[in-house]
Amino acid sequence: MMLYRLKNDFRLSIITLLSVCAIVGITPFAVYRLINGDQLAAIVDTLILLSICSVMAYAWMSGDTRRSGVIMAVVVCCGGLVVVSLQHIIGLFWLYPCFITSFFLTSSRLAVLINGLALFTLGVFKVGNIPSEQLVSFITTAIVVSACAYVFSRRNESQRRRLEQLATLDPLTGVKNRRAMEEELHKAVLNLQRHQIQYGLAIIDLDHFKAINDEHGHAEGDQVLIKCVDIITDQIRQSDQLFRFGGEEFVLLLPGTDESGLISVTQNLLEVIREQLQSPSARVTASFGLACLGAKENADDWMARADSALYQAKENGRDQVVMADSASHHPQKDTAVA
């Protein structure tokens, strides 16, 4: 789970990397200054290190990397200013990496604000009693460094958003794909464990879809899939998420939904799809396999129960809703429409 989160959460990986670098980079200085009798600087180094590690711990425990990134950027820049006040000109060198990392820890606009406030404080309050010539030279170079980091950050944010869209959206229907679904299912498991938020899951399979492709061609089959997505998205809440699982199968994730609510929503979808979805020669129906997330269940087991319920719906004659039994992990409750 730890490696999964680092791999899939860019800001969390940056926070963790910065914390590790801080431990490796600051600890020797703190020890060296303590040995040489510079206790104040050693205490400051230790406090900065503890603050950074505390923010990292908060990010891991809460999952709130956006707020954690802002806090860490502020801590790092404030720590850099304190170091300047103690080390004077030598301390200025610590501010360069602080300014750069701000753009990785938070949005580019907030990073500009944080860095600007740090430079304003440095210049107006004469932190460290830096001679004016050196101070102007540093502020100028720091602005150049921040400007370059800003351009890189904006471009990186744009490219990352575009790559995320390409990686997580189904190109035919425009809904999220299987990869995005797996990430959201893992998040749902964490949300249930941490915040006791209930989740309902429905696997939706269009009945006899292969016959549509065989009789009318894949182009007509694609239009049926697109129309199906339009119908479903018109009926669900903004907080609900629809994914294309593969082929003619879709997955619907509903937060804050119990078994009765899940059955009610999918029963309505079943009827609306039957009434509105058509191929060139006939109406199209769908089968539904449902499962609510169990307290000690992982994403794979959750999906397996819903898939088992879908299999039962097809075995029972299709065009119906089947709810998986949360206790035995086998389909039990059967809500069907002839």
Side-chain angles (χ1 to χ4, degrees):
M1 182 64 73
M2 181 179 294
L3 291 177
Y4 174 86
R5 291 182 66 187
L6 287 174
K7 182 179 179 181
N8 291 277
D9 193 326
F10 174 76
R11 188 171 281 117
L12 180 62
S13 64
I14 292 297
I15 291 173
T16 304
L17 178 62
L18 179 60
S19 300
V20 172
C21 291
I23 293 171
V24 174
I26 296 177
T27 302
F29 283 95
V31 173
Y32 173 78
R33 287 163 181 163
L34 184 62
I35 292 174
N36 284 272
D38 193 354
Q39 295 183 348
L40 181 58
I43 291 173
V44 169
D45 287 341
T46 303
L47 290 175
I48 293 172
L49 185 60
L50 290 175
S51 298
I52 291 174
C53 291
S54 297
V55 175
M56 180 185 69
Y58 172 78
W60 275 96
M61 290 187 293
S62 68
D64 186 0
T65 55
R66 186 176 301 276
R67 185 177 301 174
S68 300
V70 174
I71 295 173
M72 184 168 284
V74 172
V75 167
V76 167
C77 284
C78 289
L81 290 175
V82 174
V83 171
V84 172
S85 69
L86 296 175
Q87 301 295 318
H88 308 293
I89 292 179
I90 295 177
L92 289 176
F93 293 103
W94 286 98
L95 284 174
Y96 285 117
C98 294
F99 291 158
I100 294 174
T101 54
S102 293
F103 288 94
F104 290 95
L105 292 169
T106 185
S107 66
S108 53
R109 292 181 180 179
L110 274 175
V112 168
L113 178 62
I114 293 169
N115 290 359
L117 289 174
L119 289 175
F120 177 81
T121 302
L122 182 68
V124 172
F125 296 98
K126 303 291 184 180
V127 177
N129 295 318
I130 309 298
S132 298
E133 184 178 350
Q134 284 85 353
L135 182 61
V136 171
S137 178
F138 170 78
I139 291 176
T140 302
T141 56
I143 290 174
V144 172
V145 168
S146 294
C148 293
Y150 174 82
V151 172
F152 174 80
S153 176
R154 293 288 293 179
R155 185 175 181 83
N156 185 54
E157 288 173 1
S158 175
Q159 290 181 339
R160 188 166 68 247
R161 283 194 298 268
R162 184 172 181 180
L163 287 173
E164 286 175 352
Q165 290 180 343
L166 292 173
T168 59
L169 294 183
D170 174 53
L172 174 64
T173 61
V175 297
K176 293 181 179 179
N177 60 17
R178 182 169 183 168
R179 176 180 177 180
M181 179 200 73
E182 291 173 350
E183 293 181 3
E184 292 300 328
L185 293 185
H186 283 290
K187 289 180 182 178
V189 172
L190 292 176
N191 283 335
L192 177 62
Q193 294 171 352
R194 293 171 180 169
H195 310 295
Q196 289 72 53
I197 299 175
Q198 291 183 303
Y199 282 86
L201 180 72
I203 302 180
I204 307 167
D205 187 274
L206 298 185
D207 299 326
H208 306 296
F209 184 76
K210 185 176 183 299
I212 298 175
N213 283 334
D214 292 343
E215 294 175 12
H216 305 288
H218 289 279
E220 289 294 341
D222 289 346
Q223 291 304 310
V224 170
L225 293 174
I226 294 171
K227 177 62 176 177
C228 180
V229 167
D230 291 340
I231 291 172
I232 295 174
T233 52
D234 284 343
Q235 299 296 318
I236 60 177
R237 304 168 300 179
Q238 289 187 347
S239 59
D240 300 333
Q241 296 189 71
L242 180 65
F243 309 90
R244 187 180 180 191
F245 189 45
E248 70 275 18
E249 284 191 338
F250 297 90
V251 170
L252 183 60
L253 179 64
L254 300 95
T257 305
D258 58 13
E259 287 191 4
S260 61
L262 181 58
I263 291 174
S264 176
V265 170
T266 51
Q267 192 72 43
N268 176 66
L269 283 175
L270 178 116
E271 295 171 2
V272 173
I273 288 174
R274 186 193 299 135
E275 292 173 0
Q276 298 184 12
L277 188 59
Q278 286 187 310
S279 70
S281 59
R283 293 189 181 277
V284 180
T285 61
S287 300
F288 291 72
L290 315 182
C292 283
L293 179 59
K296 297 182 179 180
E297 195 170 32
N298 60 39
D300 292 336
D301 291 340
W302 186 21
M303 274 292 294
R305 287 197 300 114
D307 190 56
S308 180
L310 175 65
Y311 176 80
Q312 189 65 58
K314 288 183 170 294
E315 286 291 301
N316 291 348
R318 295 183 168 86
D319 188 24
Q320 59 187 271
V321 173
V322 172
M323 170 69 75
D325 177 18
S326 58
S328 63
H329 290 193
H330 291 289
Q332 180 187 51
K333 190 181 298 182
D334 187 335
T335 304
V337 177

